[in-house]
């Protein structure tokens, strides 16, 4: 192995990174390992992390509170853009990875490290998200990815390595789902979920963590009212909240009503398809509310074009290209569209469903005078004849010419 004297490890305390610390020390003689964890809302997953990191060989552990930055600089821009990868994935892991990697790169440079290490496999998306961020913030830094070079081939072998090195784990062979949790979502992958033919075990105790299945939800609906200012949610049921509190409240009420569970097969950046189950109560509610508000605050052409750009925005985030000129340029467009996206949306939550229950805005483009089916004095219906004649002129000319040629 190449001489590495100090390496900064992206550390979660999960299976992969737990065994990487002793592996680094075994394979890079005299190497100091500094662990860095980003707090993006994992909650109790961070409990006891410092003791565990030190016991397995790390010289120190940084736990960086990134929650506010995650909400304000990543979640809100993605929400304003309406960006969803392949229609349903709300990018919870995708936009958290660049934020964590940015802070890891900053610490690595401050510590004078020789390399940065991550625990991603060579099959996943996260390796790209991490390393593109490293190239942006620390382009000179060497990157170590153990999954590409060690002899371990499976999560089963990882568990065996951990047991042989007396590394405590919070999982076992029967509950070894690969999970990722933050303020925005919780993902589940692996085990029986790998086969799309298998129904996820929604009723199994402990599988769903942010809520319950729609079948277990109350028989009475719950109403929520969300206020937006320039595309950003600022209040729930009349109470102003910061982003962290608002997401927690919506995850609670949405989860209690079985909202926000998605079973997806997505196309990974590296090529293969991957199946996962996602819990996104707050995200699903906010995306619906934001879309409803835009139906009355955006003109037709802007709304339709924004839908096209939202798909590209989602691809950039999913592909790990958060720190790219194009994503920044798209933000400029999105922010312009959000100047009038202020108002209030009421939604009904019922057994996994999110149902529109009213929207209003001081910038509403809806006009009862023009839209009414009753009599009005502002719209001359005779005008539509000339409009249709001109709008349909290419179709008519084409048909007339074809008929004359075939005569």
């Amino acid at each position: 192995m190449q001489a590495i004297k100090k390496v900064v490890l992206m550390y979660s305390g999960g299976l992969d990174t737990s065994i990487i610390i002793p592996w680094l020390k075994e394979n890079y003689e005299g190497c100091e390992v500094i662990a860095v964890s980003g707090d993006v809302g994992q909650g109790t997953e961070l409990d006891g992390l410092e003791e565990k990191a030190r016991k397995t060989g790390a010289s120190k552990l940084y736990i960086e509170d990134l929650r506010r930055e995650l909400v304000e600089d990543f979640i809100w821009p993605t929400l304003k853009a309406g960006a969803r990868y392949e229609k349903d994935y709300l990018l919870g892991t995708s936009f958290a990875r660049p934020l964590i990697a940015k802070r890891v790169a900053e610490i690595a440079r401050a510590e004078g490290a020789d390399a940065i290490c991550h625990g991603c496999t060579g099959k996943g998306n996260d390796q790209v998200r991490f390393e593109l961020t490293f190239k942006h913030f620390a382009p000179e830094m060497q990157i170590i990815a153990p999954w590409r070079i060690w002899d371990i081939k499976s999560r089963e072998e990882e568990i065996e390595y951990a047991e042989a090195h007396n590394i405590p784990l919070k999982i076992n062979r029967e509950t070894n789902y690969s999970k990722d949790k933050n303020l925005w979502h919780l993902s589940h992958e692996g085990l029986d979920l790998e086969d799309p033919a298998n129904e996820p075990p929604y009723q199994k105790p402990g599988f769903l963590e942010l809520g319950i299945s729609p079948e277990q939800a109350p028989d009475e609906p719950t109403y929520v009212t969300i206020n937006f200012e320039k595309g950003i949610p600022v209040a729930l049921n009349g109470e102003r909240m910061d982003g962290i509190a608002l997401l927690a409240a919506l995850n609670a009420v949405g989860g209690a009503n079985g909202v926000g569970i998605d079973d997806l097969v997505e196309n990974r950046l590296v090529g293969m398809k991957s199946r996962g189950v996602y819990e996104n109560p707050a995200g699903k509610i906010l995306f619906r509310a934001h879309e409803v508000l835009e139906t009355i605050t955006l003109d037709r052409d802007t709304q339709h074009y924004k839908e096209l750009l939202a798909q590209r925005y989602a691809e950039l985030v999913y592909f790990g290209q958060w720190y790219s000129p194009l994503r920044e340029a798209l933000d400029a467009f999105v922010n312009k569209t959000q100047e009038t996206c202020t108002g209030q949306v009421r939604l009904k939550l019922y057994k996994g469903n999110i149902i529109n229950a009213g929207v209003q805005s001081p910038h509403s483009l809806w006009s009862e005078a023009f839209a009414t089916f009753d009599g009005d004095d502002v719209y001359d219906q005779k005008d539509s004849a000339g409009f249709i004649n001109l709008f349909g002129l290419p179709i008519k000319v084409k048909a007339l010419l074809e008929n004359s040629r075939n005569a």
Side-chain angles (χ1 to χ4, degrees):
M1 291 289 187
Q2 182 178 346
I4 298 290
K5 297 303 180 185
K6 183 184 290 189
V7 60
V8 170
L9 168 66
M10 305 187 73
Y11 184 72
S12 67
L15 177 58
D16 295 318
T17 57
S18 292
I19 68 171
I20 283 175
I21 295 177
W23 181 88
L24 285 170
K25 297 182 78 67
E26 287 176 356
N27 290 275
Y28 296 90
E29 185 177 355
C31 173
E32 177 187 1
V33 179
I34 298 172
V36 179
S37 294
D39 180 359
V40 288
Q42 304 96 309
T44 58
E45 291 180 16
L46 297 171
D47 294 349
L49 214 56
E50 181 171 4
E51 180 183 4
K52 182 176 182 180
R54 288 184 177 275
K55 282 186 175 181
T56 50
S59 62
K60 68 173 85 169
L61 170 68
Y62 288 86
I63 298 181
E64 302 293 293
D65 188 349
L66 305 175
R67 293 174 299 165
R68 186 171 301 281
E69 191 174 352
L70 175 66
V71 174
E72 296 178 356
D73 295 346
F74 291 80
I75 294 178
W76 290 166
T78 305
L79 172 66
K80 289 191 293 183
R84 293 172 296 192
Y85 183 70
E86 297 184 340
K87 299 180 181 179
D88 288 313
Y89 176 46
L90 300 189
L91 301 166
T93 298
S94 306
F95 51 51
R97 296 315 198 212
L99 170 59
I100 299 170
K102 169 177 174 285
R103 188 64 187 122
V104 168
E106 292 169 345
I107 291 174
R109 300 189 76 175
E111 286 279 356
D114 303 306
I116 296 173
C117 180
H118 66 74
C120 303
T121 73
K123 291 183 176 181
N125 301 306
D126 283 345
Q127 59 181 335
V128 182
R129 296 161 185 160
F130 288 147
E131 294 188 28
L132 291 188
T133 305
F134 296 153
K135 293 179 187 300
H136 181 82
F137 288 100
E140 77 290 349
M141 194 73 64
Q142 182 176 337
I143 299 171
I144 300 174
W147 268 104
R148 300 176 193 162
I149 54 179
W150 64 14
D151 295 328
I152 297 172
K153 302 301 182 184
S154 67
R155 290 177 70 83
E156 176 72 21
E157 291 183 11
E158 284 187 293
I159 294 176
E160 292 174 358
Y161 183 97
E163 291 172 344
H165 289 74
N166 297 314
I167 299 172
L169 299 174
K170 294 182 179 179
I171 61 173
N172 56 48
R173 290 170 172 79
E174 289 71 40
T175 62
N176 188 21
Y177 289 110
S178 177
K179 297 188 179 186
D180 179 69
K181 183 179 182 181
N182 60 39
L183 292 170
W184 186 245
H185 87 150
L186 173 64
S187 65
H188 310 255
E189 293 179 325
L191 297 181
D192 53 322
L193 298 180
E194 289 189 344
D195 186 350
N198 294 330
E199 181 180 4
Y202 296 129
Q203 310 296 333
K204 184 178 180 180
F207 179 75
L208 294 176
E209 297 181 27
L210 298 186
I212 57 179
S213 67
E215 295 91 335
Q216 297 170 316
D219 293 330
E220 296 297 324
T222 299
Y223 286 86
V224 294
T225 301
I226 303 167
N227 288 79
F228 290 83
E229 293 179 1
K230 294 187 176 181
I232 296 175
V234 295
L236 174 62
N237 297 330
E239 179 182 353
R240 290 190 71 88
M241 300 180 180
D242 66 18
I244 296 174
L246 190 144
L247 289 178
L250 281 176
N251 271 328
V253 68
N257 283 276
V259 165
I261 303 170
D262 286 306
D263 179 2
L264 308 177
V265 175
E266 65 199 53
N267 291 293
R268 286 183 175 176
L269 172 58
V270 294
M272 75 278 290
K273 292 182 180 291
S274 173
R275 195 271 189 97
V277 172
Y278 298 90
E279 297 182 62
N280 269 116
K284 284 291 185 178
I285 294 169
L286 287 176
F287 262 77
R288 171 64 66 83
H290 185 258
E291 289 173 347
V292 170
L293 183 57
E294 284 190 328
T295 64
I296 66 170
T297 62
L298 295 183
D299 65 277
R300 179 194 63 198
D301 289 348
T302 301
Q303 183 178 343
H304 289 183
Y305 197 70
K306 184 173 181 287
E307 290 173 359
L308 296 176
L309 293 187
Q311 180 178 341
R312 187 68 182 102
Y313 196 109
E315 289 177 343
L316 290 171
V317 179
Y318 189 85
F319 295 164
Q321 297 172 294
W322 184 273
Y323 297 105
S324 66
L326 178 54
R327 204 274 308 167
E328 293 176 358
L330 292 181
D331 264 351
F333 168 82
V334 169
N335 287 335
K336 182 64 179 178
T337 69
Q338 300 303 288
E339 289 180 356
T340 58
C341 192
T342 295
Q344 178 176 287
V345 181
R346 189 167 183 251
L347 299 172
K348 179 166 65 174
L349 312 180
Y350 181 67
K351 290 191 176 296
N353 296 289
I354 306 174
I355 303 165
N356 301 349
V359 57
Q360 53 187 303
S361 168
H363 305 291
S364 176
L365 299 177
W366 179 84
S367 169
E368 182 179 1
F370 281 92
T372 181
F373 283 94
D374 294 330
D376 66 81
D377 299 319
V378 296
Y379 185 87
D380 189 344
Q381 299 197 29
K382 295 178 182 177
D383 292 343
S384 63
F387 165 75
I388 295 172
N389 285 336
L390 292 176
F391 190 67
L393 185 60
I395 298 174
K396 180 178 180 179
V397 170
K398 182 176 182 293
L400 289 172
L401 291 174
E402 287 180 348
N403 290 340
S404 66
R405 294 188 189 105
N406 295 329

